[in-house]
Amino acid sequence: QKEVEQDPGPLSVPEGAIVSLNCTYSNSAFQYFMWYRQYSRKGPELLMYTYSSGNKEDGRFTAQVDKSSKYISLFIRDSQPSDSATYLCAMRAGGTSYGKLTFGQGTILTVHP
Amino acid sequence: DAGVIQSPRHEVTEMGQEVTLRCKPISGHDYLFWYRQTMMRGLELLIYFNNNVPIDDSGMPEDRFSAKMPNASFSTLKIQPSEPRDSAVYFCASSRTSGRGADTQYFGPGTRLTVL
């Protein structure tokens, strides 16, 4: 069993829809949670970062972490065609494991006009 | 800043040949990471360095893989001998210790490796 599970999709939605992307994990030591966005033929780029449980909002994006359920989510409101990309969740433990990220498989999202 | 620079962008080689991938991190960054991405396995961390010192190489798949970081501005990932199952996109990323626990890793454009 992988430490981080993410539904690869693909997910196709109409412009303006609310998108929900999710990851589950098994390692209770994970404390830092991130979402990276990867456009086709490009490297991933950091989109959202959350420490421990709670919500974080940035414009149309909201990241949620539920450590009790070992479940994280990314919501995209008013989705745009420019949001079409692969979204990867990533996480790591605290302490000396700085830098060692474990990524989900990635979810391919297409937003059509 | 030019961002993380990787070369070559594409590499096609035959099984058994040596392959060397190169990376120049962002100036001032003290962490450097090598990842491999495939459809089957996703994005996997191979090895990472802090201040040019290898910290964790537990993701390196076999002895055929080796990585070096001779100075703060250059790193190589070498595969010798290469095999078809090594075909993947290899990413280099760098980050800077912030003290806040934030992990903004900046990725390069990747090297697409095909081993025939």
Side-chain angles (χ1 to χ4, degrees), chain B residues 42-112:
Chain B
L43 191 64
E44 301 174 287
L45 177 65
L46 300 177
I47 184 172
Y48 74 97
F49 297 82
N50 177 221
N51 291 323
N52 314 337
V53 176
I55 302 301
D56 189 331
D57 65 354
S58 59
M60 296 286 262
E62 301 170 32
D63 291 344
R64 297 185 297 106
F65 286 70
S66 62
K68 293 182 180 180
M69 191 165 186
N71 57 62
S73 58
F74 184 66
S75 177
T76 59
L77 178 68
K78 186 175 293 186
I79 308 172
Q80 165 64 18
S82 58
E83 296 183 4
R85 58 194 169 120
D86 301 330
S87 296
V89 181
Y90 290 81
F91 287 103
C92 175
S94 70
S95 70
R96 182 174 58 194
T97 307
S98 68
R100 296 182 293 116
D103 292 83
T104 304
Q105 294 188 13
Y106 296 85
F107 283 75
T111 295
R112 187 171 296 272

